[in-house]
Amino acid sequence: MSGKTVLIADDDSAIRTVLSQALTRAGYSVRSTATAAALWRWVTEGQGDAVVTDVVLPDENAFDVIPRIKKLRPALPVIVMSAKNTIMTAITAAERGAYDYLPKPFDLNQLVHTVGRALEQSQRPAAANGAAAGESLPIVGRSPAMQEIYRIIARLTQTDLTVMIVGESGTGKELVARALHDYGRRRKGPFVAVNMAAIPRELIESELFGHEKGAFTGATSRMAGRFEQAEGGTLFLDEIGDMPLEAQTRLLRVLQQGEYTTVGGNAPIKTNVRIITATHRDLRQLIGQGSFREDLFYRLNVVPLRLPPLRERAEDIPDLVRHFLTQAVREGLPRKELTREAVERLQQHRWPGNVRELENLLRRLVAIEIEDTITPPAIERELASVPLQAPVQPQDFTGTSLPEFMENYLSRYFASFGNGLPPPGLYDRILAEVEPALLRAVLAATSGNQLRAAELLGINRNTLRVKLRDRQVKVIRGIG
């Protein structure tokens, strides 16, 4: 790319020097300035083949300059740098027509590579949607893992590509889907979310595609399906791995032909929706098991987006704590704050329930703690009160004995604490988890007969009664 000129705008002279040296070594000519006025003058004079600019400049915000640059010279790629590393920065950069967004600090090799890609692209059309982004932050976090998510979201808001969001439960998959809709080209249309795991299998097709009056028993009137409700907007299919094969076939037909029929209907209905899906399951494994269609997977997985678990972005926990505490005050709960040591204790936890688990814990602390300042002992008490949590899939038990299952389960539980250990009292917590399940299973097998249940367990009836009372296990007698 020798002979190409890169224009740099940043009010920090040290940053200008470092960027100039890196780009010069890569074979580019460089001109740098501290002001938006000088940058705009160079652009109007026809100088430069690419622009690298900070957002906040002394005389003008770069987000106000970029639209003028794109109007005057549409082919000139603009790369935005910012230390304000939020999703809104990334989305605004994309909306204003920036080629890419780099959160500070960034790797110089990444910058050089981005400039190279920008110069190879002959023309980058301005973003179709010029509406200004709001100030509210739908997703919280400034970690490198989240910055990459923001960059991808920012690019995807300018398209209608089908997106598959993959991540553990509690990582915020629906938040990402809503951000793609709320800041995308379909923002004026409806956002309709459907959780496949929450709908009875026999009703999923009716739920998605609607049904006609008399289509089945109980169909006393016509019902619009979720596709019809989402017309012109976005349809978010959460837990897509739980969709039965019959519905998968119909969904594939919609994606291929752009139309569907209601249950009990004959006339095809054209559809215009953007599909976003999410799952915490390994769909490739489900394909191998024959429970998910491979052709549907490739139709849905056009743009895969993996959300990192909270344990991979522990540096975001202070921001998340501030966000949830502020949110709690808005909802009428008392104002609380955490000591630095308390936040550090939260960062040491492995969070198998991810952001949702952190949010719930903070809500409990705000509601029950008397003191305005929350300290590490309060954190320890709440973490100790939470039931054993280790990510377990149903298939983990298949083909293993109970001791093997428990050993694997507890190994994952201990691993969730990293280099630390669980809070004291583990023996009682394990019994509190296991014993009620055992008592319920034995009572079910004996139709609620406590004498037979005690014999089966090998304990006397009075001991059983004490355990049932202490573990709050209800006894329901069977008939016969």
Side-chain angles (χ1 to χ4, degrees):
M1 300 300 291
S2 178
K4 298 292 184 179
T5 300
V6 180
L7 307 179
I8 298 175
D10 196 302
D11 62 347
D12 189 320
S13 60
I15 291 178
R16 293 199 305 272
T17 298
V18 170
L19 298 184
S20 297
Q21 291 175 347
L23 290 168
T24 300
R25 286 195 300 269
Y28 302 111
S29 299
V30 178
R31 295 198 69 178
S32 65
T33 178
T35 66
L39 174 64
W40 175 242
R41 185 176 68 253
W42 291 340
V43 170
T44 58
E45 292 170 354
Q47 297 187 43
D49 300 288
V51 173
V52 178
T53 179
D54 194 16
V55 172
V56 181
L57 297 171
D59 52 341
E60 192 173 6
N61 190 294
F63 285 153
D64 297 326
V65 180
I66 293 173
R68 302 204 303 268
I69 294 176
K70 302 308 294 181
K71 183 176 181 179
L72 180 67
R73 296 175 60 183
L76 181 65
V78 180
I79 298 162
V80 171
M81 308 175 291
S82 177
K84 188 178 180 181
N85 304 332
T86 69
I87 185 174
M88 295 309 305
T89 309
I91 289 174
T92 304
E95 287 182 334
R96 301 302 170 90
Y99 173 81
D100 206 348
Y101 154 74
L102 296 178
K104 292 180 179 180
F106 51 79
D107 184 80
L108 287 174
N109 291 329
Q110 181 185 15
L111 170 70
V112 172
H113 177 69
T114 302
V115 170
R117 283 192 295 108
L119 290 170
E120 289 173 2
Q121 184 171 320
S122 61
Q123 184 170 351
R124 169 86 171 173
N129 193 340
E135 293 300 321
S136 61
L137 300 180
I139 308 173
V140 177
R142 301 169 187 263
S143 63
M146 291 308 296
Q147 291 304 315
E148 185 60 26
I149 295 296
Y150 297 163
R151 294 178 68 195
I152 295 172
I153 290 175
R155 292 171 182 169
L156 292 177
T157 56
Q158 308 307 313
T159 75
D160 272 344
L161 292 175
T162 302
V163 181
M164 180 178 288
I165 307 168
V166 178
E168 296 177 7
S169 295
T171 49
K173 296 187 286 294
E174 183 168 348
L175 281 179
V176 171
R178 285 188 176 275
L180 287 169
H181 172 80
D182 291 343
Y183 300 98
R185 299 193 298 190
R186 293 177 176 263
R187 69 175 75 184
K188 293 183 179 179
F191 176 87
V192 178
V194 188
N195 189 322
M196 294 292 103
I199 304 172
R201 296 174 68 88
E202 64 273 12
L203 297 180
I204 283 182
E205 291 187 56
S206 173
E207 185 78 17
L208 290 178
F209 308 110
H211 63 252
E212 301 297 326
K213 180 179 179 180
F216 50 83
T217 303
T220 57
S221 61
R222 184 185 186 277
M223 187 193 80
R226 297 306 181 95
F227 267 94
E228 185 174 339
Q229 296 170 12
E231 183 65 19
T234 302
L235 180 61
F236 174 52
L237 302 177
D238 198 4
E239 298 303 348
I240 191 68
D242 291 291
M243 177 180 276
L245 282 170
E246 300 79 9
Q248 291 178 34
T249 301
R250 294 196 64 169
L251 177 58
L252 178 63
R253 191 175 300 122
V254 175
L255 295 173
Q256 290 173 333
Q257 301 174 3
E259 60 183 30
Y260 64 93
T261 57
T262 60
V263 176
N266 296 315
I269 301 172
K270 290 288 185 182
T271 183
N272 174 28
V273 299
R274 182 187 193 180
I275 301 291
I276 299 176
T277 61
T279 182
H280 74 281
R281 307 180 69 180
D282 184 347
L283 293 188
R284 294 184 186 276
Q285 184 179 46
L286 297 183
I287 291 170
Q289 296 170 354
S291 58
F292 201 87
R293 292 187 61 129
E294 186 173 18
D295 45 5
L296 177 60
F297 171 78
Y298 288 115
R299 283 278 184 174
L300 298 175
N301 197 45
V302 176
V303 181
L305 184 58
R306 176 187 176 269
L307 291 189
L310 187 54
R311 61 182 173 275
E312 291 182 10
R313 56 182 189 106
E315 60 266 51
D316 288 335
I317 287 178
D319 283 341
L320 287 164
V321 168
R322 283 190 290 272
H323 172 75
F324 290 132
L325 292 181
T326 301
Q327 191 176 68
V329 172
R330 289 175 183 159
E331 295 172 358
L333 291 170
R335 185 179 298 276
K336 304 283 185 181
E337 62 179 19
L338 272 67
T339 65
R340 179 175 56 83
E341 293 78 13
V343 174
E344 289 174 353
R345 177 62 186 91
L346 293 177
Q347 289 180 294
Q348 295 167 6
H349 190 59
R350 296 290 289 175
W351 301 109
N354 292 295
V355 178
R356 186 183 297 123
E357 181 187 357
L358 173 63
E359 179 182 10
N360 291 339
L361 181 136
L362 289 170
R363 283 181 178 277
R364 289 198 305 276
L365 286 168
V366 168
I368 67 177
E369 286 299 312
I370 298 175
E371 301 297 330
D372 292 337
T373 301
I374 296 172
T375 58
I379 301 291
E380 294 290 354
R381 286 195 300 273
E382 281 306 305
L383 290 176
S385 69
V386 176
L388 293 175
Q389 296 185 50
V392 178
Q393 299 296 328
Q395 62 267 25
D396 289 347
F397 189 75
T398 305
T400 64
S401 65
L402 181 59
E404 290 171 333
F405 172 77
M406 287 300 299
E407 186 173 348
N408 291 334
Y409 187 94
L410 290 171
S411 294
R412 284 193 294 271
Y413 175 68
F414 278 103
S416 71
F417 290 89
N419 296 325
L421 290 172
L426 180 60
Y427 180 81
D428 288 337
R429 292 202 303 278
I430 291 176
L431 287 185
E433 290 285 320
V434 175
E435 197 168 43
L438 174 61
L439 295 173
R440 285 191 292 267
V442 171
L443 286 169
T446 60
S447 299
N449 187 310
Q450 294 184 44
L451 182 59
R452 293 177 61 195
E455 292 174 352
L456 183 58
L457 288 167
I459 59 178
N460 65 53
R461 188 174 181 179
N462 289 334
T463 301
L464 175 61
R465 284 176 173 171
V466 171
K467 289 182 177 295
L468 293 174
R469 182 197 64 204
D470 292 345
R471 299 304 186 194
Q472 298 180 340
V473 175
K474 294 183 179 180
V475 179
I476 302 176
R477 283 191 171 274
I479 298 175

